[in-house]
């Protein structure tokens, strides 16, 4: 594992915090929770288990091997992971890198959930993963799959595997239902859990060689005790030092890497760990550097960045976790809590409990309704307003509560080649909006699928620097899914999550506009056309 400074400013920034980090390796190796100060010590005392996961997680492997063997023998080749945040992002990277199929449900979009339900239910095994055991999205997925299995004459206890912390409500429900259970280390926070049961169980079921990940990470353990030649220390000093010097927009570049999707995992780890108390580092994924003074470009196995990070996936997981914990120390924040996440959850619950109120849009432009304060006359004017509202040290966050696979339904020409298919998909993808807006501003533009991002950058949005401008996109639901045992549907939950987060943002004085697509396909096309007119 190598961390290389490729720009003089990075070396200077890292050197500026060296004294503060001088004793950190020894104190971390000793599991010293007081490293981050007295206020953080109670939380840190029960959140350092990730430091030994490369060894302790090996205890899971014999039982996991038996489960994999049983699942294969029964012909269950469709693995669905119901999990949010740290419970889904690491397995997604592991499986994409290993090129093994995994269906990830980190959404409340009815259309996307229906896709998974309609795909080989008779050959499906579902991993229900939640650290707290009460995550509303994951609880909804569990209930929906239980009903689907029973309706198909399948015993859910043969098809559902639970990963959770000891003593959680989900563990109790799983015991009562007779599900296979893997208990995770309770002293590992969700975003630091890549090498725990949360990362390993679904990945192994999908076909990844998870023991290799542990081998790769374990090779790092001796290095992380050192003050010289310690890749975690080098990366943490670069991230923290650069942020203190004003370079707090982390551009993640991985185009040449054989590791597939690591920036999405890093985004959650860094944003949720550092984005609090008005401080933090904003990761920006899938973006081209602009040369702005507040950018730090970190490249995964590429020479394009200010910092180059090379290493296997297991090593990357552990070193980034280590570096992020040290970055919290440099910035003076607790890297293990998420104090601003609860507000959006509470608001969501309140929206679900209230009788629906039909709000009037501020503007209607074709299949797009605009909600929020705007003086614009059309949709391109709304987008222009948002870009102008971004402060010179700020960013624009686009958050789409939609089916992230919908673009693949776009019609393609008969006998189309891959380039033509990609063009058709791009023209129907809400995520294309990020690129269209990014070329029209010098400020960073991020993109998140809702509610997935609420368990990732959502903490930074509300707890980090107050320099963000927010654009939500919601869409009409034509075929909803009832959540069994609950008084709401997935579509109602999805909209409540959007409204709840918008309220949490505006309560903190952070501008937010919501675009509602009355027709999703036409709405995306109209929105992308409007962006091209900005």
């Amino acid at each position: 594992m190598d961390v290389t400074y490729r720009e003089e400013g990075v070396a200077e920034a890292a050197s500026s915090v060296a004294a503060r980090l001088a004793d950190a390796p020894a104190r971390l190796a000793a599991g010293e929770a007081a490293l981050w100060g007295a206020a953080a010590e109670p939380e840190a005392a029960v959140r350092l288990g990730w430091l030994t996961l490369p060894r302790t997680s090996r205890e899971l492997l014999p039982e996991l091997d038996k489960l994999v063997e049983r699942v294969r023998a029964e012909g269950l080749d469709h693995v669905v992971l119901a999990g949010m945040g740290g419970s889904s992002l690491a397995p997604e990277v592991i499986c994409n890198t290993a090129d093994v199929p995994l269906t990830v449900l980190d959404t409340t979009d009815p259309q996307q959930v229906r896709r998974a339900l309609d795909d080989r239910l008779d050959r499906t095994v579902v991993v229900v993963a939640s650290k707290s055991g009460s995550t509303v999205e994951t609880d909804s997925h569990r209930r929906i799959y239980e009903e689907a299995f029973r309706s198909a004459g399948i015993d859910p206890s043969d098809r559902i595997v639970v990963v959770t912390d000891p003593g959680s409500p989900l563990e109790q429900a799983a015991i009562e239902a007779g599900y296979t259970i893997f208990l995770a280390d309770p002293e590992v926070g969700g975003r630091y859990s890549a090498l725990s049961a949360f990362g390993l169980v679904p990945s192994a079921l999908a076909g990844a060689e998870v023991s290799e990940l542990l081998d790769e990470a374990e090779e790092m353990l001796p290095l992380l005790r050192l003050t010289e030649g310690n890749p975690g220390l080098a990366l943490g000093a670069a991230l923290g030092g650069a942020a203190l010097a004003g370079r707090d927009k982390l551009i993640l570049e991985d185009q040449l890497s054989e590791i597939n999707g690591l920036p999405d995992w890093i985004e959650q780890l860094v944003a949720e760990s550092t984005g609090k108390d008005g401080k933090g580092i904003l990761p920006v994924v899938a973006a081209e550097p602009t040369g702005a003074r507040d950018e730090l470009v970190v490249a995964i196995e590429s020479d394009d960045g200010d910092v180059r990070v090379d290493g296997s996936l297991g090593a990357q997981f552990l070193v980034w976790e280590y570096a992020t914990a040290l970055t919290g120390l440099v910035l003076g924040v607790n890297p293990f809590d998420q104090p601003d996440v609860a507000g959006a959850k509470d608001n969501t619950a309140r929206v679900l409990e209230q009788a629906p109120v039909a709000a009037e849009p501020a503007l209607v432009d074709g299949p797009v309704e605009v909600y929020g304060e705007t003086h614009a006359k059309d949709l391109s004017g709304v987008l222009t307003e948002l870009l102008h509202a971004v402060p010179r040290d700020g960013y624009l966050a686009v958050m789409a509560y939609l089916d992230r696979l919908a673009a693949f339904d776009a019609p393609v020409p008969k006998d189309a080649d891959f380039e033509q298919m990609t063009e058709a998909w791009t023209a129907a993808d809400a995520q294309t909006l990020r690129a269209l807006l990014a070329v029209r501003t010098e400020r960073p533009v991020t993109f998140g699928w809702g509610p997935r991002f609420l368990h990732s950058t959502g903490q930074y949005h509300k707890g980090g620097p107050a320099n963000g401008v927010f654009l939500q996109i919601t869409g009409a639901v034509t075929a909803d899914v009832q959540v069994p045992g609950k008084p709401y549907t997935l579509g109602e939950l999805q909209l409540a999550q959007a409204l709840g987060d918008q309220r949490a943002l505006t309560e903190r004085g952070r501008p937010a506009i919501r675009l509602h697509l009355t027709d999703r396909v036409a709405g995306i096309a109209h929105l992308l056309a409007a962006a091209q007119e900005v």
Side-chain angles (χ1 to χ4, degrees):
M1 184 83 185
D2 292 311
V3 175
T4 309
Y5 302 159
R6 303 189 64 256
E7 196 249 1
E8 185 177 348
V10 172
E12 293 175 352
S15 178
S16 72
V17 300
R20 199 180 318 183
L21 298 176
D23 63 348
R27 296 176 70 183
L28 267 177
E32 188 175 326
L35 182 60
W36 295 270
E41 185 172 359
E43 180 86 22
V46 292
R47 287 291 178 264
L48 295 179
W50 54 273
L51 287 163
T52 57
L53 283 176
R55 292 173 180 153
T56 59
S57 285
R58 294 185 187 278
E59 299 170 3
L60 298 169
L61 298 183
E63 196 64 29
L64 185 51
D65 287 343
K66 292 178 184 177
L67 175 63
V68 171
E69 185 178 351
R70 176 178 72 80
V71 166
R72 295 288 180 274
E74 294 177 3
L76 305 180
D77 58 0
H78 182 214
V79 182
V80 175
L81 170 58
M84 303 298 296
S87 298
S88 64
L89 288 165
E92 192 168 56
V93 177
I94 294 168
C95 292
N96 285 343
T97 300
D99 195 23
V100 295
L102 176 69
T103 296
V104 176
L105 281 186
D106 54 1
T107 181
T108 46
D109 187 78
Q111 184 171 299
Q112 191 172 334
V113 172
R114 282 184 180 278
R115 287 176 186 278
L117 285 169
D118 292 342
D119 184 6
R120 297 166 288 165
L121 184 68
D122 60 325
R123 288 153 43 200
T124 293
V125 58
V126 180
V127 180
V128 178
S130 170
K131 179 176 176 61
S132 69
S134 58
T135 308
V136 65
E137 299 94 336
T138 307
D139 179 68
S140 299
H141 299 150
R142 175 180 64 84
R143 292 168 180 269
I144 290 167
Y145 263 98
E146 285 173 342
E147 182 174 272
F149 284 138
R150 291 191 187 103
S151 297
I154 298 170
D155 185 348
S157 66
D158 293 333
R159 300 298 188 89
I160 293 179
V161 177
V162 164
V163 183
T164 190
D165 275 8
S168 77
L170 180 56
E171 182 197 13
Q172 186 57 43
I175 291 172
E176 294 172 0
Y179 298 154
T180 299
I181 304 171
F182 286 86
L183 295 178
D185 186 339
E187 297 196 351
V188 176
R191 56 189 176 274
Y192 291 81
S193 65
L195 299 171
S196 76
F198 287 105
L200 303 184
V201 172
S203 301
L205 283 171
E209 295 292 337
V210 296
S211 62
E212 293 181 3
L213 288 173
L214 298 180
D215 292 341
E216 294 163 357
E218 189 168 5
E219 290 179 3
M220 294 298 102
L221 292 180
L223 299 181
L224 298 182
R225 296 174 174 269
L226 305 177
T227 54
E228 298 289 338
N230 180 334
L233 181 62
L235 182 57
L239 296 176
L244 287 184
R247 300 174 68 175
D248 60 356
K249 309 301 186 299
L250 175 61
I251 312 299
L252 294 164
E253 204 282 320
D254 73 333
Q255 294 181 18
L256 300 180
S257 175
E258 294 183 0
I259 300 174
N260 192 335
L262 187 62
D264 287 324
W265 175 81
I266 295 172
E267 180 183 44
Q268 185 216 11
L269 176 68
V270 172
E272 198 168 43
S273 296
T274 68
K276 58 201 70 170
D277 302 331
K279 307 172 185 177
I281 296 173
L282 176 69
V284 187
V285 177
E288 293 292 330
T290 66
R293 58 177 176 77
D294 57 351
E295 287 183 350
L296 176 71
V297 183
V298 175
I300 311 298
E301 300 182 344
S302 168
D303 284 329
D304 294 337
D306 304 313
V307 179
R308 174 169 176 157
V309 183
D310 294 278
S312 59
L313 180 54
Q316 293 272 5
F317 280 146
L318 186 60
V319 167
W320 275 97
E321 289 167 351
Y322 188 100
T324 301
L326 291 187
T327 301
L329 173 60
V330 172
L331 297 182
V333 299
N334 179 354
F336 306 115
D337 68 352
Q338 46 280 334
D340 298 285
V341 169
K345 293 181 180 179
D346 293 342
N347 287 342
T348 296
R350 282 193 287 269
V351 172
L352 287 172
E353 291 169 358
Q354 297 167 354
V357 177
E360 287 295 321
L363 170 69
V364 178
D365 187 337
V368 181
E369 298 174 342
V370 181
Y371 294 87
E373 295 185 12
T374 180
H375 300 290
K377 304 299 183 183
D378 56 22
L379 189 52
S380 62
V382 172
L383 298 176
T384 300
E385 276 186 345
L386 287 169
L387 290 175
H388 288 167
V390 179
R392 66 177 187 173
D393 63 343
Y395 65 99
L396 172 64
V398 181
M399 307 164 291
Y401 291 81
L402 300 168
D403 175 3
R404 65 171 167 141
L405 302 178
F408 297 114
D409 293 335
V412 297
K414 187 177 180 181
D415 301 323
D417 58 25
F418 183 73
E419 183 176 348
Q420 291 172 312
M421 288 189 290
T422 300
E423 288 178 359
W425 295 332
T426 300
D429 192 351
Q431 193 162 303
T432 302
L433 181 63
R434 193 212 66 78
L436 291 175
L437 295 178
V439 299
R440 289 162 170 81
T441 177
E442 295 180 352
R443 302 312 306 146
V445 180
T446 66
F447 185 93
W449 293 104
R452 167 186 170 117
F453 79 87
L454 291 175
H455 300 259
S456 176
T457 52
Q459 166 62 41
Y460 181 95
H461 291 166
K462 294 175 281 289
N467 56 12
V469 174
F470 301 92
L471 174 61
Q472 291 185 332
I473 307 172
T474 58
V477 173
T478 56
D480 214 339
V481 176
Q482 179 66 45
V483 179
K486 295 293 182 180
Y488 50 77
T489 64
L490 282 182
E492 290 166 345
L493 174 58
Q494 183 183 42
L495 181 58
Q497 289 177 310
L499 296 178
D501 193 47
Q502 185 179 26
R503 184 180 299 176
L505 291 167
T506 56
E507 287 171 348
R508 290 163 171 78
R510 308 191 180 200
I513 289 286
R514 180 169 68 92
L515 307 181
H516 184 71
L517 314 180
T518 54
D519 179 304
R520 293 191 179 201
V521 174
I524 291 296
H526 194 66
L527 178 56
L528 298 184
Q532 292 173 335
E533 296 175 3
V534 172

